[in-house]
Amino acid sequence: MKEGIKKIDPSTEEKIKNAARIVFYKKGFAATRTRDIAEEAGINLALLNYYFRSKAKLFEIIMIETMSGFFQNLLIVLNNKKTTLDEKVEEVVGRYIDLIIKEPEIPTFIISELRNNPNLLLQRIPLKEVIKTSVFLKQHQEAVEKGIIKASNPLHFLINMLGLTVFPFIAKPMLLGSNELNDKEFENLMLERKKLIPMWIKATMSAG
């Protein structure tokens, strides 16, 4: 054991993870140095290396926690037996808009790092299996059979829902520049979409 360090301190470990999350979200894996994380955490580099042996290991922890949290929100809603398909859309849209307003770097971070390591999510989070057995899938199939929904592939439903919800946050710099919006106006615009997106989804997927 290193001199001056007697045991793992959970508060220090959490402080390092929070600092790493901030820096990785802003810079991504490649551009981040362990020194950047240590400075953000207000600790020395030796202490960071004691708790987390490498930048890669720390990044994997942050990546898995971020993506697990992001997709867990989706899976909880999709497997709720007490809500209808329309209510699931409202809940997914509302949860993600609130989450991304609070953590605006998450979408860009996930997309960027998924491109670099596409198997990481699938290895740790069984999305395919969960979605295939979800309450959402059963409700979607029933709606198709009843002629309520015209698209038989549920992926169209999910892509439309997530795309309409997440993409504006990814395109935020462009939207702010081209429309002369400030951050508060952009946030209000996104909050308006909580009501609009479910309406759009219902209209575009309707078989009527």
Side-chain angles (χ1 to χ4, degrees):
M1 186 173 293
K2 292 188 177 182
E3 185 178 351
I5 304 175
K6 296 183 179 180
K7 63 179 181 178
I8 294 294
D9 180 357
S11 63
T12 300
E13 191 171 34
E14 195 60 31
K15 181 194 293 187
I16 294 171
K17 284 169 60 178
N18 288 337
R21 191 173 290 110
I22 291 169
V23 179
F24 281 137
Y25 282 5
K26 289 180 180 178
K27 296 186 174 184
F29 176 77
T32 295
R33 303 173 304 164
T34 50
R35 187 173 299 279
D36 297 329
I37 298 170
E39 289 175 358
E40 180 69 32
I43 62 173
N44 61 53
L45 193 56
L47 187 60
L48 186 148
N49 289 332
Y50 174 78
Y51 277 84
F52 299 96
R53 294 180 182 178
S54 69
K55 181 181 80 168
K57 182 62 179 176
L58 182 53
F59 177 79
E60 183 178 342
I61 292 170
I62 299 303
M63 185 68 169
I64 292 298
E65 286 185 358
T66 298
M67 297 180 73
S68 295
F70 190 81
F71 287 103
Q72 194 63 36
N73 273 314
L74 177 63
L75 299 179
I76 288 171
V77 176
L78 295 187
N79 278 307
N80 189 344
K81 296 179 180 179
K82 297 181 180 180
T83 56
T84 65
L85 206 55
D86 288 343
E87 289 169 339
K88 283 179 171 57
V89 174
E90 292 176 5
E91 193 170 351
V92 168
V93 171
R95 281 184 181 223
Y96 276 138
I97 287 177
D98 288 342
L99 171 65
I100 302 172
I101 285 175
K102 184 179 177 182
E103 300 281 357
E105 305 294 337
I106 285 180
T108 304
F109 171 74
I110 290 178
I111 289 172
S112 173
E113 300 306 333
L114 269 180
R115 186 171 58 244
N116 296 329
N117 193 351
N119 293 320
L120 183 59
L121 175 65
L122 296 177
Q123 289 171 353
R124 299 300 183 91
I125 307 172
L127 276 176
K128 184 177 179 181
E129 290 75 11
V130 173
I131 290 175
K132 277 189 172 182
T133 60
S134 68
V135 174
F136 157 78
L137 183 62
K138 295 174 184 176
Q139 290 177 327
H140 182 276
Q141 289 172 337
E142 290 173 0
V144 171
E145 291 168 2
K146 292 177 181 178
I148 299 171
I149 294 176
K150 61 185 176 182
S152 58
N153 190 336
L155 281 178
H156 288 305
F157 198 103
L158 288 173
I159 291 168
N160 286 348
M161 180 170 59
L162 293 177
L164 286 168
T165 304
V166 176
F167 179 76
F169 290 96
I170 297 172
K172 179 180 178 180
M174 180 180 68
L175 292 172
L176 291 181
S178 62
N179 291 283
E180 298 183 349
L181 296 172
N182 59 39
D183 286 330
K184 187 60 180 177
E185 290 169 333
F186 176 83
E187 180 177 321
N188 289 336
L189 195 68
M190 296 303 102
L191 291 174
E192 287 176 14
R193 292 175 70 84
K194 282 187 178 184
K195 294 182 179 179
L196 294 173
I197 292 173
M199 293 168 53
W200 295 335
I201 292 291
K202 190 171 183 178
T204 57
M205 303 303 289
S206 174

